[in-house]
Amino acid sequence: MYRIAVAALIFAAAGCATTGGAGSREGNATVTGVIRLPETGLTQAQDACEQIRVVVAPAANTSDALGKAMVKASRGNRCSFTVSGIPSNTEIQANAVADAALKCANGAAPTIAPASATAQPTFKLSDYGTSTRDFVVSCG
């Protein structure tokens, strides 16, 4: 029994030492926030949160999404989101993007902007760090 436990411990330590690597894109930082929807004006307000995604990407390559994103309906005409597994100490930016199916009542695509005009467009997170970024969806 002792030999099995020692072998399992050595195997686990060797496995931990070889996972990841210098080029690993996984991390331990998180970006969270709220996406405020307009009170009126969206044609599909019931499932709007399912049609919005949050993309955290390196500032140098904004099409290269990082982490694991989740957007879900929240109370008060809002969506909440979490993007986890973001590499720390990397210059990143967060953006919210609406799917093409999400439309305003006038047929135009909604605009999504940061809720704070003073929010820095790019930022870095420390190890196990969390940043809050809020967005506002508007029609018109």
Side-chain angles (χ1 to χ4, degrees), residues 70-135:
M70 178 202 59
V71 178
K72 65 179 184 173
S74 188
R75 60 186 172 168
N77 218 28
R78 298 179 196 175
C79 310
S80 60
F81 70 88
T82 302
V83 183
S84 59
I86 300 169
S88 56
N89 301 314
T90 301
E91 194 75 23
I92 57 173
Q93 64 182 29
N95 293 304
V97 181
D99 290 344
L102 188 63
K103 298 286 184 193
C104 296
N106 64 5
T111 58
I112 303 176
S116 172
T118 61
Q120 296 294 322
T122 62
F123 56 99
K124 286 184 181 182
L125 296 171
S126 61
D127 288 344
Y128 301 99
T130 300
S131 179
T132 301
R133 302 288 165 164
D134 295 333
F135 297 94

Side-chain angles (χ1 to χ4, degrees), residues 29-96:
T30 304
V31 175
T32 64
V34 172
I35 303 167
R36 190 174 47 206
L37 302 172
E39 293 294 323
T40 60
L42 284 178
T43 58
Q44 302 163 347
Q46 298 85 359
D47 63 349
C49 295
E50 296 174 8
Q51 298 179 41
I52 297 174
R53 56 191 168 85
V54 176
V55 178
V56 174
N61 187 4
T62 58
S63 63
D64 193 13
L66 300 171
K68 180 180 177 186
M70 178 202 59
V71 178
K72 65 179 184 173
S74 188
R75 60 186 172 168
N77 218 28
R78 298 179 196 175
C79 310
S80 60
F81 70 88
T82 302
V83 183
S84 59
I86 300 169
S88 56
N89 301 314
T90 301
E91 194 75 23
I92 57 173
Q93 64 182 29
N95 293 304

